[in-house]
Amino acid sequence: MHNDTDPAGHTHPKQGTSPQAGMRRYKPSDEVDFAIVGSGAAGGVVARQLARAGFSVVVLEQGPWRGNADFRHDELWVNFQGGLTNDFKKVPNTFRARESDVAIEQQVAQYAMMVGGSSAHFTANYWRFPEIEFQQATKLGVPPGSTIADWPITYADLEPYYTMVDWECGVSGRAGVNPFEPWRSKPYPMPPLPIKSEGVLLEKAAKKLGWHAAPAPMAILSQPYRGRSGCVSCGFCFGFACEVGAKSGSINAMIPDAVKTGKCEIRPGSYVRKVELGANGRVTGVKYFDSSKTEQFQRAKAVVVCANGAETPRLMLNSATNEFPDGLANSSGYVGRNLMSNYNSAGMGMFPHEVNGWKGAVVSRIVHDPVILPKDLGIYGGGGFDFRSMMTPMNAALQTMPGMPRWGSAWKKSLSKMLSNTCLAIGHTTQLPVYTNRFDLDPTLKDAWGAPVLRLTFADHQNDLEVMKWFGAKGKELLDAAGADTAVDLGAIQQGYPTVHLLGTCRMGNDPKTSVVNGDHRAHDVPNLFLVDGSSFVTSGRGQPTMTIQALAFRAADKMIGAAKRHEL
């Protein structure tokens, strides 16, 4: 095996070496220390940390294990045929706006179904949450109709783990230039990605408005790091997995390290249907279907569920027992409730010159001035902006500016401008937790394995609609200030479904009556069960949750290691 050495002197396998080569294999009958459900942003981190600490680990992933050679620039397959994401035909969902409504079959949750999860194809915006995020109820109050609460941890508790994400996963950025970024104990490990044309436009617009544009912190390598390639600006980034391994998701940054320990097995094609509870009130392992749909049982001393904010509550609800008739670890009744995502508002501008923002990573500059909206606006929340392009040719072809032709030869002539001369001002915003916004199990519909599917009950909080309205207007204002010939406010662009940021459905807290897990991600009801992913969020954050999911996972792994060493599991 050939190896590379990074600037810090660490030796790593060369890019392209199969992480499955020589991987440890366990039998389902082997009682491993930890069974982990899901291999995404959180699952990959937890697996790596536990395996490095010497524990035996099996990661059960329902999707396949794809390598860099599988990540092709095929817009039809990726964007329109769901080549990387969950199959709605096999695992459908239903939706209703109110509990009195009859739910209709409709996809509501979207996530990557593969080893590495959605972190394999994410945009890779890596924003830290501001300090106030963790104490909003105390410092900003609780809006009527919401269940805003303080987190059981603070930014200071999480900061060392944010820094671990920067350095262990690989985040490109520049410290000390964004006045709204919270304090940090260490700079970024590498410089920011090169500024793009729409980043220059955002800098121009922000200056005119008296705002502050800063290099975007991105989980994409700006230079070679730990044996991985830096970004090659391929132009197929949004929604695409990275064929050179520059994206710092679990599949590139965590899974290979976990496997290399000789203590961790990644088991793709494993569809977990139930977490099994023993007579002593502790979990004993997980039941799952293997790739041939044969049911298996993996024994484990502890179970860590990292299946995302939709599938984690679904697994808990499908794991009901006589002791927990409403779902495993659900004595509070909070499993599935308080669903949040992140809203987006958008402005679109047509410029007199080419922008060509489709080249390279999606984002190079951000503006965080409205991260906490002023009280005098009368709305609660906040977020940030970036400028980006129409992404890829097919996406551009499906969009038109108001007043532009929509068919025929005139439409064909407009396509190059839609791809090359347009720019979007995207506002990434908060969403309030609401108790009645929730996932539960549909009473009649089953998936391809015979398990009940998720039913979503959701209605927008009026405050969130007002936040999106404000950000949409500001997006147009930014585009005008950047010099657009024509700029329009597109308003909210993520009120529909499916949605991708799935948060809050098994929230953490100190009170077992109003939360599912404690501040260490340990289930209040079951001492050797941990839930680690976006489901544990108490608030939605300001638009970009993945870095916080990974920071929480690093912290949770530390807590699990400590509990295991104290023989608590």
Side-chain angles (χ1 to χ4, degrees):
M1 179 185 295
H2 298 286
N3 296 291
D4 285 342
T5 302
D6 67 19
H10 299 104
T11 301
H12 307 276
K14 258 193 179 299
Q15 185 70 34
T17 301
S18 171
Q20 300 178 62
M23 182 174 66
R24 175 71 178 270
R25 310 280 180 171
Y26 297 95
K27 298 176 182 177
S29 57
D30 294 333
E31 185 182 48
V32 296
D33 294 317
F34 292 92
I36 301 174
V37 182
S39 63
V45 167
V46 174
R48 175 196 192 246
Q49 297 303 97
L50 293 177
R52 280 189 158 191
F55 296 102
S56 54
V57 177
V58 168
V59 180
L60 299 130
E61 166 59 49
Q62 63 174 320
W65 196 334
R66 293 190 169 101
N68 290 347
D70 301 312
F71 300 144
R72 57 190 189 270
H73 294 169
D74 185 337
E75 290 182 76
L76 185 63
W77 182 66
V78 171
N79 291 334
F80 300 97
Q81 295 178 336
L84 298 176
T85 53
N86 52 312
D87 188 341
F88 178 62
K89 293 180 181 178
K90 290 183 178 179
V91 186
N93 313 133
T94 61
F95 171 80
R96 59 187 182 177
R98 294 169 295 275
E99 296 206 4
S100 58
D101 295 344
V102 176
I104 61 172
E105 190 169 336
Q106 177 180 334
Q107 185 177 11
V108 296
Q110 186 175 54
Y111 49 87
M113 198 176 74
M114 55 182 288
V115 172
S118 296
S119 69
H121 73 160
F122 58 7
T123 301
N125 275 306
Y126 262 36
W127 302 358
R128 295 186 179 204
F129 286 0
E131 289 187 80
I132 201 171
E133 184 75 34
F134 301 91
Q135 298 171 302
Q136 285 187 82
T138 296
K139 296 192 175 183
L140 299 179
V142 179
S146 80
T147 52
I148 283 280
D150 289 347
W151 291 55
I153 61 174
T154 66
Y155 176 80
D157 294 324
L158 202 54
E159 196 284 331
Y161 299 100
Y162 274 129
T163 297
M164 288 183 74
V165 176
D166 284 339
W167 286 81
E168 296 301 310
C169 297
V171 179
S172 303
R174 182 177 298 137
V177 294
N178 182 352
F180 302 98
E181 184 183 53
W183 61 270
R184 56 170 51 245
S185 58
K186 199 173 181 180
Y188 290 97
M190 67 197 83
L193 293 161
I195 190 169
K196 298 171 60 186
S197 53
E198 69 271 49
V200 174
L201 293 174
L202 183 54
E203 286 186 342
K204 176 183 177 181
K207 186 176 181 180
K208 282 191 177 181
L209 269 59
W211 283 4
H212 307 78
M218 300 288 286
I220 299 177
L221 306 185
S222 62
Q223 61 190 32
Y225 186 72
R226 297 194 170 187
R228 292 162 48 210
S229 169
C231 176
V232 296
S233 298
C234 69
F236 287 80
C237 195
F238 183 78
F240 288 78
C242 183
E243 76 272 23
V244 301
K247 285 190 176 182
S248 295
S250 287
I251 192 170
N252 296 318
M254 296 286 108
I255 297 295
D257 284 353
V259 170
K260 192 168 59 176
T261 64
K263 300 290 290 184
C264 177
E265 177 189 353
I266 311 296
R267 197 175 291 168
S270 300
Y271 185 93
V272 179
R273 74 165 188 87
K274 185 178 183 181
V275 178
E276 196 70 26
L277 189 71
N280 61 355
R282 292 173 176 261
V283 294
T284 58
V286 296
K287 288 183 176 179
Y288 70 99
F289 294 105
D290 63 19
S291 56
S292 64
K293 283 194 172 183
T294 301
E295 187 172 82
Q296 307 282 358
F297 178 67
Q298 177 61 57
R299 300 176 64 226
K301 295 176 183 176
V303 173
V304 189
V305 182
C306 307
N308 73 49
E311 294 297 334
T312 289
R314 179 184 177 219
L315 182 56
M316 294 299 98
L317 296 171
N318 275 325
S319 299
T321 66
N322 290 335
E323 185 178 353
F324 295 103
D326 297 321
L328 184 62
N330 193 27
S331 65
S332 65
Y334 268 62
V335 168
R337 293 192 178 273
N338 301 299
L339 173 68
M340 300 170 288
S341 180
N342 293 117
Y343 278 126
N344 294 129
S345 295
M348 180 189 290
M350 177 72 74
F351 286 81
H353 51 77
E354 289 189 353
V355 179
N356 292 328
W358 55 271
K359 296 181 178 179
V362 179
V363 178
S364 65
R365 289 296 183 272
I366 55 172
V367 166
H368 276 175
D369 291 71
V371 68
I372 302 170
L373 292 175
K375 288 185 178 180
D376 59 11
L377 290 176
I379 49 180
Y380 187 106
F385 281 98
D386 63 53
F387 274 14
R388 57 178 69 182
S389 78
M390 301 305 300
M391 317 309 178
T392 53
M394 281 190 179
N395 281 332
L398 293 174
Q399 304 291 329
T400 56
M401 288 282 290
M404 291 185 70
R406 301 179 66 89
W407 66 281
S409 59
W411 170 74
K412 290 181 182 179
K413 290 178 182 178
S414 74
L415 289 183
S416 62
K417 271 199 163 186
M418 281 304 301
L419 177 63
S420 299
N421 290 52
T422 54
C423 183
L424 292 173
I426 303 292
H428 306 271
T429 70
T430 48
Q431 188 177 94
L432 292 173
V434 176
Y435 183 74
T436 52
N437 286 342
R438 64 158 177 156
F439 285 123
D440 66 352
L441 298 179
D442 190 276
T444 58
L445 192 61
K446 303 290 192 298
D447 67 15
W449 290 264
V453 303
L454 286 171
R455 174 176 61 182
L456 173 63
T457 304
F458 190 93
D460 293 303
H461 193 289
Q462 184 60 36
N463 174 87
D464 297 333
L465 300 177
E466 295 298 323
V467 171
M468 284 190 287
K469 181 179 178 181
W470 187 91
F471 270 80
K474 279 294 179 182
K476 179 183 181 304
E477 190 176 344
L478 282 166
L479 290 164
D480 285 331
D485 276 345
T486 305
V488 294
D489 175 4
L490 298 179
I493 62 173
Q494 201 175 342
Q495 287 179 279
Y497 299 98
T499 191
V500 294
H501 294 176
L502 300 156
L503 312 169
T505 48
C506 295
R507 66 159 52 179
M508 62 164 60
N510 294 322
D511 186 353
K513 294 180 181 179
T514 56
S515 59
V516 181
V517 297
N518 66 14
D520 297 342
H521 296 263
R522 196 172 187 172
H524 290 300
D525 296 337
V526 185
N528 63 338
L529 173 64
F530 298 83
L531 311 181
V532 188
D533 52 32
S535 68
S536 66
F537 280 31
V538 183
T539 56
S540 68
R542 261 71 184 164
Q544 304 297 336
T546 310
M547 187 182 201
T548 299
I549 289 172
Q550 288 198 304
L552 289 168
F554 273 111
R555 184 176 180 274
D558 270 2
K559 300 299 181 180
M560 292 176 211
I561 291 167
K565 289 181 176 179
R566 293 190 300 271
H567 305 290
E568 295 175 4
L569 306 183

